[in-house]
Amino acid sequence: MKKYDPKTLEPKWQQIWAETKLYEVDNDAQNKEYVLDMFPYPSGAGLHIGHVRNFSISDTYARYQRQHGKRVLHPMGWDAFGLPAENYAIKTGTAPQISTKQNTDNFRRQMQTLGFSYDWSREIDTSAPEYYRWTQWIFLQLFEMGLAYQAENLQWWCETDQTVLANEQVEAGKCWRCGNPVTKKPLKQWFFKITDYADQLLDGLDDLDWPEKIKLMQRNWIGRSVGAEISFELLDASFEKKIDVFTTRIDTLGGATFLVVSPELANTWLEAGWQADDEVKKYILDSLKKAEIDRQDTAKEKTGVNTGLNAVNPLTKTNIPVVVADYVLGGYGTGAIMAVPAHDERDYEFAQKFKMPIVEVIEPVLTQTTGSATFRHNEPAQDSHGVIALIKHWSQDKYIGLSWPDAGWGTLLTGGIDEGLTAEQTVRKEILEETGFRNIKVLRQIGTIHSKYYHEPKKANRFGHAPTFYVELENGERDQVSEDEKQKHEIKWLTKAELEGFLTATSHAQAVKMFEGQVYNGEGILKNSGDFSGQESALAREKMTTKFGRERVNYKMRDWLISRQRYWGAPIPIIHCPKDGAVAVPADQLPVELPELKDFQPSGDGRSPLAKVKDWLEVGCPKCGGPAQRETDTMDTFACSSWYFLRFINPHDDVQAWNKNDVDAWLPVDTYIGGAEHAVLHLLYARFWTKALRDSGHLNFDEPFKSLRNQGLILASDGRKMSKSLGNVIDPLDLINEGYGADALRLYELFIGPYDQTVAWNPNGIDGTKRFLNRVYAIVQEHLSQDSGFRIQDSESSLETALAIATNKTIKKVTVDLESYGFNTAVAAMMELVNEMYKLKVDLPLGSDAWRDNFKLLVQILAPFAPHITEELWQQLDGEGSVHISTWPAWDENLVKDDLVTIVLQVNGKVRSQIEIEAGASEDAVKKLAAADENLNRHLQGKTVIKTIFVPDKLVNYVVK
RNA sequence: GGGAGAGUGGUGGAAUGGUAUACACGGCGGACUUAAAAUCCGCUGCCUUUACGGGCUUGUGGGUUCGAGUCCCACCUCUCCCACCA
């Protein structure tokens, strides 16, 4: 009998598939399915285990769709531009063109070894001139639309190394390589105006079938915030008349006791002629030199300096000082803020340190959002007045908490204010009544807390207003507390930490925070705000925006800086002319090809090595014909990957980037699979380009990826990330060479756990899937070695039915699971079927037509997971053509339905016995049969059955006393 | 600091509110073998019982329910993302 030998079987079929072009599709997009992998950067290390997981998921899905008669486009290519190849070139002198070619050849070979069903006729390489020609063409489209622009920007520059440094490469103001101080140099950079699309990028997310997590990350990244811009009059300054600030809390304007200006904005004042003190100048210039990383260290103490300038608070009309501090960012909003230390932690921290005034303007309003007291927003609320008191023990650092056993509440001491009593009198009265304590040492109001909640006993919303007090007891002397009060609640002495978990009402928890002096940054009722005092935040914001400022929307997202002073990228197709400025390279002159180089060192003047290639650099201006120079920056590699999914449609078209009709028919991508690490880079950029190209009329759709799935990471068996330096890397090709084969490896990676979950590699796990494939192969060989065509005995027909039932149930399970990416459970189901087949073959002789039919069904549903072995077995079982284009089997609903079901008998919810009965049996029939059950009766003996719960085909639960 | 997700045997994991621990790894036992490997078969959460059976168990503590791994509340732990964005 033949043995399962993936080493000979797999290459054989890979060759046949290639020769028959089994996985190639033409551009007829009828009944199409575009299944796309995030294409890889072809590193020198080759494919890793994580790639295999990614590609196995998409390949299984693509094959499954193909077996459903879909025309599946499943292409692969190379994101080939990038730093590693260039650094390798600097080190070894090997041109990136050469090392990249070696790497892509290696990747392709490895992928073919794994048997993925890619249409290799559509392979693309972003570093090939026939590809980046069109990347450049798209750049020019954006340039024409005004979406690509140049702006002068400060860049880190190391004089010693003669190079530009990335922000991350500057440590404490020094170059990470040589340790010498770096300076900032103004350099012209290219940007894409992605911010123009901020709202569209945000809104478009709603309709995408993407993981919520990724959508949320994009939302946060875009960071839309709606607020107001206010102008503060700047006094006695010749260089500037006003300071604009952006705030989302204009309702706290009354508490704005100073303004903070970013060093970047202050620097523009210096340039405009501000005669600042030396100390101020020094602070500004030093701040600008600091690495972003240091400035953004939230752990460090706030720094800043008073400018001596004053501005006017438009609400209070008072003069407030203007300071410069680096905790305000130059690049966000207006680069200046109004500081409200009472209601912003950062401002509070600064004010504390620099002794700035702190004015409270918001009294907290807490809205109950949990439990039975949850405020009902659509119902009216009634005002109520009461007090809250935080009462401290006379000798210990403990406080009174009231535990309400009936309601399940934990509160501080609280009570309503009676007619004629002041709040303070109420506190004294309540303390005596509810706790009995007689002597009070300290009684101090710490604020007022408002709360919106639902009053369960009264069945109505309440808007409570409570002066809040801190009380310290003198001693433990106390009166008797009435039985009535004792019934309601119990007094507990708790530490502050214990109180935190104990208090169920958010307003009471707020009282503790208030006592501790915590900054309140929530919603509330205004005070110390002139005419606006007494109003609620939300309404006050509207009115104050109209009166003092104007509405403004800000985004965290910045324009996309795409120029790189690097060689190994797509050259930016621009020519700089002294007369005409930045001029687009005419489309018929594309591509602007990368010249061949011998020396890959950067030019030394902040430009890429391209600046050294004189005959490439010097060109005539396309407009005036005069002498001009090419742009020497190349594009960020993310530009190349922002449209590759379009190029797969017409990969070899040399007159256009794509054929609009073809692309409109195939796109958007139906299923996109890749890692979550691209959440806010590639996935955002690709969406932006698609929207821009829609606006330029080149596309008819504006979202490139309809459905997205992220595969989880695979960690080493020690639970750490696989890395060369840790020596815990598993090489997929090694496993194949060891004889496991591609099928067993792919199957294991699908079986290892839910596709989107991070899992640790189990070195023995692959033995399990290899064993499973062995068993499948072996049982089919045994079957084939039997005489075929014999008639079965009557006694065997029920076994044949059992076989058909097992197979059909598995077909259903695998089908349903695959629809929801349940690869691991689908594999488990097929393992169960094979285990069942091994049991059945003991009494049901192999070799019959029935066996052959069932084996063929098994082979068909296993095919997407293990393409080689199934193709071989399909052929051995006389299947027609390739199993991979055979029709996915349907299950027979009659065989899947159970005739007999097991009914569980429970007593008070505990399983006591089980009985078998025909499916659909009535409650009476089930109970009648159950009445004879010995174990059940033992548990029912001497008990009264109060009621029974009957769930058809599932259980009977006897509730007894 | 903010946000998101996750905690189930020795391990990876399974389970529309209805028999928790499917499937697999590992372990133990048996068959085959001169022997080993491979293969095939069986057992494998914990405690208790000769056995039938009984008790406990899904991070912890509460709650809802006839019934909770699953729903609600609080807490603990871990992972990921963002992080002075006003």
Side-chain angles (χ1 to χ4, degrees):
Chain A
M1 250 190 306
K2 274 199 247 173
K3 251 197 92 190
Y4 173 45
D5 179 21
K7 265 191 173 165
T8 55
L9 185 155
E10 292 183 347
K12 180 181 92 181
W13 284 108
Q14 283 155 15
Q15 203 188 334
I16 293 171
W17 294 336
E19 282 165 2
T20 58
K21 304 183 191 303
L22 187 63
Y23 306 121
E24 294 184 16
V25 280
D26 60 31
N27 268 353
D28 172 8
Q30 289 281 318
N31 196 23
K32 64 99 181 179
E33 184 81 17
Y34 190 172
V35 181
L36 184 64
D37 291 306
M38 287 185 188
F39 69 160
Y41 174 75
S43 76
L47 280 186
H48 58 72
I49 226 86
H51 287 124
V52 177
R53 190 178 196 190
N54 181 172
F55 304 152
S56 295
I57 290 167
S58 59
D59 198 57
T60 300
Y61 190 77
R63 287 175 182 278
Y64 173 72
Q65 293 298 337
R66 213 175 271 123
Q67 281 184 263
H68 276 82
K70 290 277 180 69
R71 295 178 56 81
V72 174
L73 174 60
H74 190 40
M76 182 43 73
W78 320 111
D79 190 12
F81 276 133
L83 260 176
E86 183 162 348
N87 288 340
Y88 186 72
I90 292 171
K91 216 165 78 185
T92 64
T94 311
Q97 284 83 347
I98 292 168
S99 60
T100 299
K101 172 85 169 56
Q102 287 169 352
N103 291 348
T104 54
D105 285 348
N106 185 40
F107 261 67
R108 188 186 314 102
R109 199 169 46 238
Q110 295 192 339
M111 286 181 180
Q112 285 167 348
T113 302
L114 279 150
F116 296 126
S117 62
Y118 295 124
D119 177 351
W120 285 107
S121 73
R122 292 174 185 263
E123 177 183 346
I124 56 175
D125 175 344
T126 60
S127 70
E130 53 270 28
Y131 181 91
Y132 67 70
R133 166 184 181 180
W134 302 111
T135 309
Q136 292 171 337
W137 175 79
I138 297 171
F139 177 96
L140 294 178
Q141 303 307 310
L142 299 179
F143 184 63
E144 273 170 31
M145 295 167 78
L147 291 173
Y149 67 94
Q150 253 183 316
E152 187 113 341
N153 220 295
L154 289 177
Q155 281 287 107
W156 296 113
W157 177 253
C158 176
E159 201 54 40
T160 320
D161 285 346
Q162 285 288 298
T163 183
V164 179
L165 296 173
N167 231 331
E168 301 77 23
Q169 295 166 337
V170 179
E171 293 164 352
K174 288 172 184 170
C175 170
W176 68 323
R177 283 229 178 102
C178 63
N180 291 313
V182 295
T183 54
K184 272 202 167 173
K185 224 179 175 176
L187 287 168
K188 257 195 172 173
Q189 304 285 313
W190 283 95
F191 293 86
F192 284 143
K193 222 172 183 174
I194 189 170
T195 50
D196 271 12
Y197 285 82
D199 279 326
Q200 281 190 52
L201 289 168
L202 201 58
D203 296 341
L205 287 171
D206 295 338
D207 301 324
L208 294 179
D209 171 26
W210 285 20
E212 277 309 315
K213 187 180 132 178
I214 302 292
K215 293 208 245 181
L216 189 67
M217 280 166 76
Q218 291 212 350
R219 287 195 185 101
N220 291 341
W221 183 265
I222 295 166
R224 181 184 150 101
S225 74
V226 181
E229 196 173 279
I230 316 169
S231 298
F232 285 70
E233 187 193 346
L234 184 59
L235 301 172
D236 308 321
S238 56
F239 53 89
E240 184 60 84
K241 292 205 155 33
K242 61 182 174 65
I243 301 177
D244 291 335
V245 305
F246 172 71
T247 178
T248 54
R249 291 299 303 270
I250 194 170
D251 52 313
T252 63
L253 179 58
T257 50
F258 57 103
L259 297 185
V260 189
V261 172
S262 63
E264 286 82 358
L265 181 61
N267 191 42
T268 65
W269 290 355
L270 288 177
E271 283 165 0
W274 178 27
Q275 299 299 314
D277 292 347
D278 286 349
E279 186 205 359
V280 177
K281 269 190 199 157
K282 185 174 182 309
Y283 180 82
I284 294 167
L285 298 175
D286 285 353
S287 297
L288 292 180
K289 275 190 209 154
K290 272 196 211 162
E292 201 91 348
I293 283 173
D294 287 340
R295 261 185 73 174
Q296 294 189 353
D297 180 4
T298 50
K300 81 161 194 198
E301 249 191 48
K302 298 254 178 302
T303 61
V305 60
N306 199 324
T307 61
L309 298 165
N310 284 289
V312 183
N313 181 320
L315 174 68
T316 63
K317 306 285 185 211
T318 53
N319 289 2
I320 57 174
V322 177
V323 304
V324 183
D326 68 0
Y327 79 92
V328 171
L329 307 174
Y332 183 76
T334 60
I337 62 152
M338 64 177 205
V340 184
H343 302 293
D344 182 286
E345 277 165 50
R346 298 154 300 184
D347 299 341
Y348 179 78
E349 199 189 317
F350 187 89
Q352 284 275 301
K353 187 171 166 190
F354 292 92
K355 307 279 184 291
M356 308 298 275
I358 299 171
V359 177
E360 276 187 38
V361 288
I362 302 287
E363 285 177 354
V365 174
L366 282 301
T367 304
Q368 191 72 28
T369 55
T370 58
S372 60
T374 298
F375 187 72
R376 306 186 177 184
H377 280 278
N378 43 7
E379 294 175 21
Q382 211 182 346
D383 283 300
S384 70
H385 297 269
V387 293
I388 299 172
L390 177 66
I391 304 165
K392 186 173 181 283
H393 194 269
W394 54 93
S395 63
Q396 297 171 22
D397 191 21
K398 288 194 172 173
Y399 304 81
I400 288 181
L402 298 180
S403 169
W404 306 65
D406 287 346
W409 298 338
T411 68
L412 298 175
L413 184 114
T414 172
I417 300 177
D418 292 338
E419 279 286 332
L421 286 186
T422 64
E424 195 178 315
Q425 286 165 337
T426 304
V427 172
R428 290 182 186 279
K429 180 185 136 223
E430 291 288 344
I431 289 176
L432 198 63
E433 280 180 7
E434 299 199 16
T435 73
F437 288 108
R438 270 199 304 231
N439 302 314
I440 289 167
K441 186 161 82 182
V442 181
L443 190 145
R444 167 162 63 88
Q445 182 168 357
I446 52 177
T448 301
I449 295 173
H450 310 265
S451 58
K452 292 183 174 179
Y453 59 96
Y454 185 73
H455 196 290
E456 180 66 43
K458 301 256 165 79
K459 304 274 177 230
N461 270 332
R462 283 291 158 85
F463 191 1
H465 310 282
T468 302
F469 292 82
Y470 169 70
V471 177
E472 222 174 292
L473 296 175
E474 173 81 52
N475 51 41
E477 272 180 45
R478 63 196 294 198
D479 291 349
Q480 272 294 327
V481 177
S482 76
E483 278 308 311
D484 208 34
E485 292 288 350
K486 272 191 193 163
Q487 283 283 309
K488 273 196 288 188
H489 48 64
E490 185 193 340
I491 295 172
K492 294 194 164 172
W493 287 106
L494 302 167
T495 63
K496 268 191 220 149
E498 287 165 344
L499 268 180
E500 230 177 90
F502 171 81
L503 296 173
T504 52
T506 49
S507 55
H508 289 220
Q510 177 59 32
V512 179
K513 287 180 189 160
M514 187 181 263
F515 173 63
E516 285 179 324
Q518 276 188 33
V519 170
Y520 179 75
N521 57 16
E523 301 279 292
I525 292 178
L526 274 65
K527 62 177 179 184
N528 298 329
S529 299
D531 295 346
F532 296 93
S533 293
Q535 296 189 6
E536 287 190 60
S537 294
L539 190 61
R541 273 200 291 276
E542 268 176 48
K543 291 188 184 164
M544 291 166 88
T545 301
T546 315
K547 184 159 180 194
F548 300 111
R550 54 229 162 251
E551 209 178 282
R552 180 164 160 178
V553 178
N554 259 317
Y555 303 91
K556 286 189 203 174
M557 184 172 67
R558 310 293 153 82
D559 277 341
W560 173 16
L561 195 167
I562 56 134
S563 34
R564 297 287 180 270
Q565 292 75 46
R566 289 285 174 175
Y567 170 72
W568 194 229
I572 292 175
I574 291 287
I575 291 166
H576 295 285
C577 170
K579 214 175 95 203
D580 297 311
V583 180
V585 172
D588 59 10
Q589 288 174 31
L590 295 180
V592 176
E593 268 195 68
L594 278 172
E596 283 181 23
L597 286 192
K598 289 229 161 54
D599 170 16
F600 296 94
Q601 284 290 341
S603 69
D605 60 356
R607 295 197 288 173
S608 84
L610 290 171
K612 294 190 288 191
V613 191
K614 283 280 173 295
D615 55 344
W616 177 87
L617 187 69
E618 311 287 353
V619 286
C621 169
K623 259 193 191 156
C624 67
Q629 284 202 340
R630 287 192 188 282
E631 169 65 58
T632 56
D633 282 354
T634 55
M635 277 185 256
D636 182 1
T637 57
F638 280 109
C640 307
S641 57
S642 290
W643 73 284
Y644 78 105
F645 45 91
L646 301 172
R647 185 62 178 172
F648 278 129
I649 309 304
N650 312 95
H652 310 299
D653 195 325
D654 58 5
V655 298
Q656 56 188 346
W658 56 81
N659 174 304
K660 198 179 170 194
N661 289 334
D662 289 345
V663 163
D664 282 340
W666 277 106
L667 272 284
V669 172
D670 294 285
T671 303
Y672 195 29
I673 296 175
E677 68 273 19
H678 293 294
V680 288
L681 296 170
H682 161 61
L683 288 171
L684 198 61
Y685 297 148
R687 294 183 61 220
F688 160 52
W689 273 35
T690 304
K691 286 176 192 304
L693 289 165
R694 182 238 8 230
D695 287 347
S696 69
H698 292 98
L699 297 175
N700 278 341
F701 55 92
D702 72 342
E703 286 291 347
F705 315 119
K706 203 162 65 183
S707 159
L708 172 74
R709 298 288 180 272
N710 300 123
Q711 83 277 6
L713 288 178
I714 295 186
L715 304 175
S717 49
D718 56 13
R720 293 187 292 183
K721 277 198 179 141
M722 286 191 191
S723 85
K724 254 193 206 160
S725 59
L726 289 170
N728 56 8
V729 176
I730 305 277
D731 184 338
L733 273 297
D734 286 350
L735 292 169
I736 291 174
N737 291 333
E738 282 166 33
Y740 284 107
D743 284 343
L745 172 62
R746 295 174 51 164
L747 202 57
Y748 176 56
E749 294 214 23
L750 293 170
F751 181 62
I752 194 167
Y755 78 97
D756 57 351
Q757 203 165 299
T758 297
V759 284
W761 184 262
N762 179 343
N764 296 314
I766 191 172
D767 288 325
T769 50
K770 177 70 191 296
R771 223 169 267 159
F772 165 65
L773 293 178
N774 266 332
R775 280 161 69 82
V776 172
Y777 196 84
I779 195 171
V780 173
Q781 301 315 306
E782 195 185 335
H783 161 80
L784 291 169
S785 70
Q786 304 297 317
D787 287 334
S788 59
F790 58 80
R791 287 180 54 131
I792 58 158
Q793 308 287 316
D794 283 353
S795 63
E796 289 163 353
S797 74
S798 71
L799 290 175
E800 270 193 0
T801 308
L803 175 63
I805 288 173
T807 305
N808 275 270
K809 281 187 169 176
T810 308
I811 292 169
K812 181 177 183 182
K813 171 83 174 142
V814 171
T815 306
V816 169
D817 281 356
L818 277 181
E819 292 293 339
S820 59
Y821 292 73
F823 303 101
N824 56 330
T825 49
V827 174
M830 289 185 282
M831 286 173 166
E832 282 182 82
L833 173 60
V834 172
N835 290 344
E836 186 63 25
M837 285 175 159
Y838 267 74
K839 278 180 196 153
L840 283 169
K841 83 179 170 85
V842 176
D843 296 312
L844 182 66
L846 291 166
S848 65
D849 288 354
W851 272 111
R852 195 195 56 220
D853 291 346
N854 280 282
F855 284 138
K856 284 174 80 172
L857 291 168
L858 167 64
V859 164
Q860 283 184 295
I861 57 173
L862 181 58
F865 301 82
H868 307 89
I869 188 177
T870 48
E871 189 78 307
E872 175 76 16
L873 292 175
W874 182 250
Q875 193 194 42
Q876 292 180 10
L877 289 162
D878 293 330
E880 207 179 307
S882 168
V883 69
H884 299 299
I885 49 173
S886 73
T887 302
W888 187 260
W891 64 88
D892 181 343
E893 198 56 55
N894 288 322
L895 288 169
V896 167
K897 255 196 320 218
D898 287 307
D899 293 338
L900 276 182
V901 292
T902 305
I903 300 228
V904 168
L905 304 177
Q906 299 183 332
V907 177
N908 284 348
K910 290 199 180 207
V911 180
R912 291 308 177 185
S913 192
Q914 36 188 273
I915 53 174
E916 289 234 310
I917 197 162
E918 72 277 9
S922 70
E923 180 166 359
D924 285 345
V926 171
K927 279 186 179 166
K928 206 166 166 189
L929 187 63
D933 191 90
E934 207 182 303
N935 212 30
L936 176 71
N937 285 326
R938 188 169 45 237
H939 285 276
L940 291 180
Q941 208 158 42
K943 309 267 171 66
T944 316
V945 177
I946 304 166
K947 67 167 165 175
T948 56
I949 311 283
F950 174 70
V951 183
D953 292 347
K954 281 267 156 64
L955 61 80
V956 185
N957 188 12
Y958 297 85
V959 186
V960 302
K961 224 176 16 193

